[in-house]
Structures are given as structure tokens and as C-alpha cells.
Amino acid sequence: RAKQEGKGTYRFFEAAMGAQIRERRSIEHDLHNAIENGELSLVYQPQAQLETGEVLGFEVLLRWNHPVRGLVPPSAFIPIAEESGLILTIGEWVMRHACQEAATWTRPLSIAVNVSALQLGSDGFPHLVQGIVEETGLSAERLEIEITETALVRDPHRALLALQRLKELGVTIAMDDFGTGYSSLSNLQAFPFDKIKIDRSFVQAVHTKPQAAAIVRAVLGLGRGLGLPVIAEGVETPEELSFLGQEGCTEVQGYLFGRPVPINELTSLICDNVIVLPRTLMRAAD
Ligand code: C2E
Ligand code: MG
Ligand code: MG
Ligand code: MG
């Protein structure tokens, strides 16, 4: 009987696995055509000065509007794009479009682009970025690339060379999701980071988990010690903002300041020096 049950469980498991594999294949297959079919688009999320709410720039986030599945979140297709190598084509598309867009802005706001491990380690990545910057006319100083620590582990030497070349171009290098990877501290010493992004999992737990508050405080102290600006991601409430302000955080990003939206919804932020967060909210957070 146990044997029977075991077999049943196994069959169930096998079927579930099969479905998962088919699902992945189907996503990979559709992703191949997504660029050509115009199914990919970009949304932009403001990054702001904590004190004033002034917009400093935007992070670009990829969106896939699948004809049948609808909006597929990055978490459901970026890993597949990375494993299949498609991220190279897709990443280049993101970089080119983001730079093209930012080059038209009337204010020299920064533009932060997420770059995956495979891209950073690919042949001639810094050269590709240089080409895009030249072709779009964007000043390289306005371009920021966000990389996670996992981008450094596969081939640290290659990653270092690529980051050094990018820095020579004038590009800013931000460590994304700081605290969620591994050996973060030695990475800060070994790689030429210009900026640290505290992961939103810490930010969103500052009032529920004392550990998270301690970690956020420590990262802010680390930034001060290293002379690196720290930006907090995933700021959703005035209470979180208030905590960050008290602890000396200077830059913020999160739903409280603005959700990621298509560029046409942001023209006022780009053209005028509009304060994203209503003053009243800033004061409430004091
Ligand atoms: P990430 O780079 O850490 O981006 C921040 C994520 O947090 C985004 O999710 C953003 O929408 C979300 N977020 C921002 N503020 C808040 C907030 O206040 N509350 C909550 N709950 N979430 C917030 P998204 O757009 O789903 O992207 C997820 C991840 O996918 C990104 O994490 C990044 O690792 C990856 N990704 C997105 N676009 C690209 C891309 O063009 N290239 C690559 N390689 N990866 C990308
Ligand atoms: Mg990011
Ligand atoms: Mg992040
Ligand atoms: Mg994150």
C-alpha cells in the first residue's frame, strides 16, 4: 500500500515536473520572438533625494506583455532569459532603449539599468555600452549599471575587468540587492562600486524585525565609512522613510515616491524639477 502511494506521489511529482519543464520551454520559445513582436517595454521608477524629494534619476525595469499570458513579471522570465542566453539580446535592447530615452530628457537625470551576470561577463560588454552611449549621445556619467553580487561569482576576474572598463567610460556602478548575496563585504573591497542599494527586504522589515533595522543601520554606516552613497529600495511608507532619514540615508526609491510607469506618464518629472513626494508627506515623516 505504501508502495502504491509512493508510486502515486512519484507520478504526481513527475507530472508536475513535466508541466514545469514544458512551461519553461514555452516561455523561452515565446521570449525568442518577444523583441521582434514588440512585446517588451520599459517602465521607469524614480530615485529621489530623501531630504527634498527631488528626482535624481530613474531605474529602468523590463516588462513583457505576452499576447496570451498577459503581463509576465520579470521574476518569471529573467531567470529563463539568463539560462538560455537570451538575456544578451534582451539586455542590449534594454540598454539601447533606456539610453535613447534618457538622451532626450531636458534635465541630466541619471538612468539606472539592471545588468545580469551573463551580460557583464560577455565578450566586449564594455565596448557595447560605449557604442550605445556614443550612438545615443547620452553622457556616460548619467548611466548607472546595477549588478547583483551573483554577477561577480562566476568569473570574478572577468567581472572586475569589465567593471573597470565601464568606470573608465564614466559609468556609475551600483551594487543591487545588497545584503542578499554572499561575501558582500569583500566584494565592496575587491570591486569598484560607486553606490550601494539596500535590498527592499530589509527596508520593509525595519519596523517588524529588529535585525532588519540593525542591518539597514549597519549598511548606512558602511556607506559612510567607504564614502559610498546608499540608496534604499522598496520604500513604501512614511514610517520607513522617517527611519531611513533618521539613520542618515540620503537616497530612496519605492512606491511611496512612485511606482515604475511607462515613460509618457513621467514627462512632468523629467521636464520640471517636480518634487515627487508631497511636502506634507515629507513633514509627516519627520
Ligand atoms: P531590482 O533591480 O531589485 O528592482 C527592484 C524591484 O522592486 C522591481 O521589481 C520594482 O518594481 C520593485 N519595487 C520597487 N519599489 C517597490 C516598493 O516600494 N515595493 C515593492 N513591493 N516593490 C518595489 P520588478 O520590476 O518586478 O523587477 C524584479 C527584478 O527583475 C529586478 O529587481 C531585477 O533584478 C530584474 N530586472 C528587471 N528589469 C531587468 C532588466 O532590464 N534586466 C535585468 N537583467 N534584470 C531586470
Ligand atoms: Mg535594480
Ligand atoms: Mg534592487
Ligand atoms: Mg531587489
Side-chain angles (χ1 to χ4, degrees):
R1 180 126 205 224
K3 211 172 173 184
Q4 275 284 342
E5 242 169 50
K7 216 166 185 178
T9 309
Y10 180 73
R11 285 236 173 85
F12 173 76
F13 190 65
E14 200 179 37
M17 281 281 286
Q20 210 180 336
I21 289 166
R22 276 196 302 279
E23 169 84 352
R24 280 186 82 91
R25 279 212 198 106
S26 150
I27 289 185
E28 189 184 324
H29 173 267
D30 295 351
L31 201 49
H32 261 286
N33 308 314
I35 294 186
E36 281 173 50
N37 295 349
E39 292 161 15
L40 297 182
S41 64
L42 299 176
V43 286
Y44 297 75
Q45 187 178 34
Q47 301 182 325
Q49 192 124 52
L50 186 144
E51 276 290 300
T52 57
E54 187 193 341
V55 181
L56 301 168
F58 296 89
E59 177 177 3
V60 184
L61 296 155
L62 188 58
R63 293 293 177 262
W64 180 18
N65 197 354
H66 188 281
V68 178
R69 296 169 190 270
L71 211 58
V72 186
S75 57
F77 72 88
I78 296 273
I80 297 174
E82 283 170 345
E83 276 165 38
S84 61
L86 278 171
I87 194 70
L88 295 179
T89 317
I90 293 173
E92 182 177 340
W93 181 87
V94 171
M95 181 70 74
R96 181 164 286 113
H97 279 257
C99 291
Q100 261 164 8
E101 179 56 49
T104 68
W105 298 346
T106 49
R107 288 200 296 139
L109 300 166
S110 64
I111 182 84
V113 180
N114 292 284
V115 167
S116 76
L118 203 68
Q119 288 176 275
L120 188 67
S122 65
D123 268 336
F125 179 70
H127 188 70
L128 176 76
V129 173
Q130 184 177 13
I132 290 175
V133 159
E134 282 169 6
E135 134 202 346
T136 58
L138 182 80
S139 152
E141 281 70 30
R142 290 175 54 199
L143 178 61
E144 212 169 283
I145 69 163
E146 296 194 359
I147 57 168
T148 59
E149 288 166 279
T150 44
L152 309 172
V153 289
R154 202 189 311 194
D155 191 343
H157 182 66
R158 225 180 143 78
L160 179 61
L161 288 177
L163 292 178
Q164 282 168 340
R165 280 274 292 116
L166 289 163
K167 258 190 99 110
E168 282 163 20
L169 294 175
V171 174
T172 300
I173 319 288
M175 184 185 274
D176 206 351
D177 301 343
F178 184 71
T180 60
Y182 27 104
S183 61
S184 328
L185 298 182
S186 64
N187 284 341
L188 282 173
Q189 183 177 287
F191 297 91
F193 285 100
D194 300 297
K195 192 171 184 176
I196 300 172
K197 295 193 80 175
I198 308 185
D199 192 65
R200 76 162 189 265
S201 59
F202 303 116
V203 174
Q204 294 183 344
V206 290
H207 288 107
T208 51
K209 293 192 186 126
Q211 294 92 332
I215 290 167
V216 169
R217 238 180 245 120
V219 175
L220 290 167
L222 196 58
R224 273 193 293 276
L226 294 168
L228 299 180
V230 176
I231 179 165
E233 67 173 26
V235 183
E236 289 184 356
T237 68
E239 290 76 23
E240 288 160 4
L241 180 67
S242 167
F243 175 88
L244 290 164
Q246 275 158 22
E247 298 301 332
C249 184
T250 53
E251 293 178 30
V252 278
Q253 176 181 351
Y255 293 171
L256 183 63
F257 289 83
R259 286 177 179 262
V261 291
I263 203 66
N264 56 305
E265 293 178 34
L266 285 174
T267 36
S268 69
L269 286 186
I270 293 164
C271 299
D272 322 317
N273 197 0
V274 173
I275 308 296
V276 190
L277 201 62
R279 287 235 161 249
T280 49
L281 198 47
M282 294 297 296
R283 241 178 268 122
D286 285 343

